């Protein structure tokens, strides 16, 4: 036992009996400062302030046991154990509601000479007043700038006028800390304050982003003995649904969805004068001689598609492109004419005269081929396993906003605005159609056969082909491509409706969806890649790589749309007509097909093909802060 007065010992320390630890007794604290003694408030308020300070130091020093109680009381108001963790101390002082929502944070920066560790609450927890425990070099201090920086991050996650719980411990080089800001040394500033605040802010935001994927709700069970009949439950649910549907349930402005994907737009009935994306070297005629065109049933156990659907498909529109041919300069010219409806009678007459009547059903519609190849079934299973359910729901119920460019388009889903890569989505769509409707395609017939040799020469002239003199003469390579593809003619025609005649001319392409003709400017490069990039040795890899190349050729690609626009401008034609054509195709053909046919893979959420660029509630928060 030792007694001190004015910082000096009154007598030498004496041994005494007692519990292990240090006990400090303070008496007559303000005996020589009467002004401070008069400034004290009532004992309860002063005791509350003492409890606050001690409890915060108890949380910071988790390896030490703290106990606080009034003189004469037997129960401690604050008590922590020496073997308790920081989270245990927070639980005992602030309650279980805080401790179960804590996220551990910690970062350091050698350049700024600081370390940070602590615990913060996630977006599930919020209170009316911010609780901020800040220790710098193990001293309890305050920093208004740091508090404001962190609350700015939380403003995007918490409801308005609510705040988080924060416990942070910073270790900064002592010479960088300025404690002479306030007479009580309670508020501090430090060197490189803006840089350290930004670093802490970024780390806190990264932790909140990872914890914002879910919300937790707690329900209260009925008390024992409470009676609730099933009739009351039904009545209560009916009343709640009526309130939800009625006008009495107020919907706030930042929660309103002002569009409905099920509503018809006026321009859906106005097909443009030019047929969508019908450009190329030869006339293309749709034939219905190989199977269903678009609406084929995907489950492989269905032996035949629905008869009524196939009857409608037999009335499919006929896409026609006027002959353009290959010009002397080697470019592809394109002129389009309005599409026309094929008379039903003509279709029936053609089918009666055709020798393939045995492949028709009783309704004069093509019979669907059942494909049981293991490789194809495996590819179908891979597509379904990689599908992202939330993206599929978003594409199914989206509202198309408009085209930013041939490559990008805007779509709204609920209160969010998304930027979608039309190129990548259309490529994935055509790949999945090729796999799911394998060997069941219609044919886009070219009115003028396209020589594979000339297409190969055009592709080799393109710098994109990567041809060098070491590869040999272009003529020899073109002849090799023709002979190689002629050997694969039977398989290409049977499985992919890609028809090549005996002279080495391309005469037919697969019809994947109605009212869509691929940009035929990419045909030369497709022929070159068909011979060089497809794995022809293994069955599964062959079907997969061939489908990928076909899908890339069919997809909307920016360079071909821009080339078309430049071509029409050079010929002094109306530039708006060209853009209207591809925009109409993107909105009414491709994005319509995305709703029902596309199973978006999971990697679309990570590789930037689908980006959220705006969210209505967040925009309202920005406006409120402004």
């Amino acid at each position: 036992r030792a007694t001190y007065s004015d910082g000096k010992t009154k007598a030498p320390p004496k041994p005494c009996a007692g519990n292990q630890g240090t006990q400090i007794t303070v008496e007559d604290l303000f005996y020589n400062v009467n002004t401070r003694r008069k400034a004290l408030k009532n004992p309860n308020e002063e005791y509350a302030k003492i409890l606050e300070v001690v409890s915060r130091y108890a949380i910071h020093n988790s390896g030490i046991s703290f106990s606080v109680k009034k003189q004469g009381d037997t129960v401690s108001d604050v008590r922590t154990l020496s073997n308790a963790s920081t989270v245990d101390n927070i639980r005992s002082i602030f309650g279980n509601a805080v401790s179960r929502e804590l996220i551990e944070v910690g970062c350091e920066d050698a350049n700024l000479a600081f370390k940070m560790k602590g615990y913060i609450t996630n977006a599930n927890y919020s209170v009316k007043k911010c609780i901020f425990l800040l220790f710098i070099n193990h001293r309890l201090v305050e920093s208004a700038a740091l508090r404001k920086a962190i609350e700015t991050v939380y403003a995007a996650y918490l409801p308005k006028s609510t705040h988080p719980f924060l416990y942070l411990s910073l270790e900064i080089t002592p010479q960088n800390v300025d404690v002479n800001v306030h007479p009580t040394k309670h508020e501090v500033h430090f060197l490189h304050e803006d840089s350290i605040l930004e670093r802490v802010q970024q780390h806190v935001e990264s932790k909140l982003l990872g914890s914002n994927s879910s919300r937790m709700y707690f329900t209260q069970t009925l008390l024992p003995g409470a009676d609730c009949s099933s009739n009351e439950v039904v009545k209560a649910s009916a009343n709640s649904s009526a309130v939800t549907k009625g006008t009495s349930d107020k919907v706030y402005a930042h929660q309103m969805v002002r569009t409905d994907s099920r509503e018809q737009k006026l321009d859906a009935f106005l097909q443009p004068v030019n047929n969508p994306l019908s450009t190329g070297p030869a006339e293309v005629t749709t034939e219905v001689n190989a199977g269903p065109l678009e609406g084929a049933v995907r489950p492989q156990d269905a032996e035949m598609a629905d008869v009524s659907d196939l009857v409608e498909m037999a009335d499919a529109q006929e896409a026609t492109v006027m002959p353009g041919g290959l010009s002397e300069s080697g470019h592809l010219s394109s002129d389009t004419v309005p599409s026309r409806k094929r008379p039903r009678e003509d279709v029936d007459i053609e089918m009666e005269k055709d020798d393939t009547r045995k492949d028709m059903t009783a309704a004069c519609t093509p019979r669907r081929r059942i494909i049981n190849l293991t490789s194809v079934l495996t590819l179908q299973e891979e597509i379904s396993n990689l599908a992202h359910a939330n993206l599929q729901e978003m594409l199914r119920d989206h509202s198309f906003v408009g085209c930013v460019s041939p490559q990008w388009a805007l779509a709204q889903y609920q209160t969010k605005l998304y930027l979608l890569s039309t190129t990548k989505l259309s490529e994935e769509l055509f790949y999945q159609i090729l796999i799911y409707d394998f060997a069941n395609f219609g044919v886009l017939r070219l009115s003028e056969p396209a020589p594979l040799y000339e297409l190969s020469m055009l592709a080799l002239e393109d710098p994109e082909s990567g041809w060098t003199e070491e590869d040999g003469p272009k003529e020899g390579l073109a002849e090799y491509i023709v002979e190689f593809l002629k050997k694969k003619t039977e398989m290409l025609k049977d499985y992919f409706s890609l028809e090549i005649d005996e002279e080495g001319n391309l005469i037919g392409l697969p019809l994947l969806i109605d009212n869509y003709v691929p940009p035929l400017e990419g045909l030369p490069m497709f022929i070159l890649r068909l011979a060089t990039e497809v794995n022809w040795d293994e069955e599964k890899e062959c079907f997969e790589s061939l489908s990928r190349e076909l899908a890339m050729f069919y997809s909307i690609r920016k360079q071909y749309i821009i080339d078309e626009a430049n071509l029409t401008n050079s010929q002094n034609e109306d530039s708006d007509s060209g853009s209207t054509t591809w925009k109409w195709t993107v909105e009414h053909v491709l994005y319509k097909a995305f709703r029902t046919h596309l199973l978006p893979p999971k990697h679309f959420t990570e590789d930037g093909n689908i980006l959220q660029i705006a969210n209505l509630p967040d925009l309202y928060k920005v406006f409120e802060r402004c």
Side-chain angles (χ1 to χ4, degrees), residues 125-149:
Y125 179 83
S126 61
V127 287
K128 294 297 182 181
K129 185 179 180 181
C130 180
I131 304 174
F132 188 25
L133 284 63
L134 175 62
F135 287 83
I136 296 182
N137 294 341
H138 307 290
R139 282 187 66 244
L140 179 63
V141 295
E142 285 190 0
S143 173
L146 182 58
R147 177 196 291 261
K148 184 176 180 181

Side-chain angles (χ1 to χ4, degrees), residues 504-554:
N505 298 320
L506 181 67
I507 60 175
L509 293 169
L511 175 64
L512 302 184
I513 55 177
D514 285 335
N515 293 326
Y516 184 84
V517 178
L520 296 180
E521 289 85 352
L523 189 57
M525 190 58 63
F526 165 67
I527 294 298
L528 176 62
R529 293 181 63 87
L530 189 63
T532 58
E533 300 297 328
V534 175
N535 183 352
W536 296 96
D537 299 327
E538 302 293 334
E539 180 180 301
K540 177 176 177 290
E541 287 74 12
C542 174
F543 292 157
E544 182 179 11
S545 55
L546 205 159
S547 298
R548 289 289 181 192
E549 294 300 326
L550 262 171
M552 186 188 302
F553 165 54
Y554 271 70

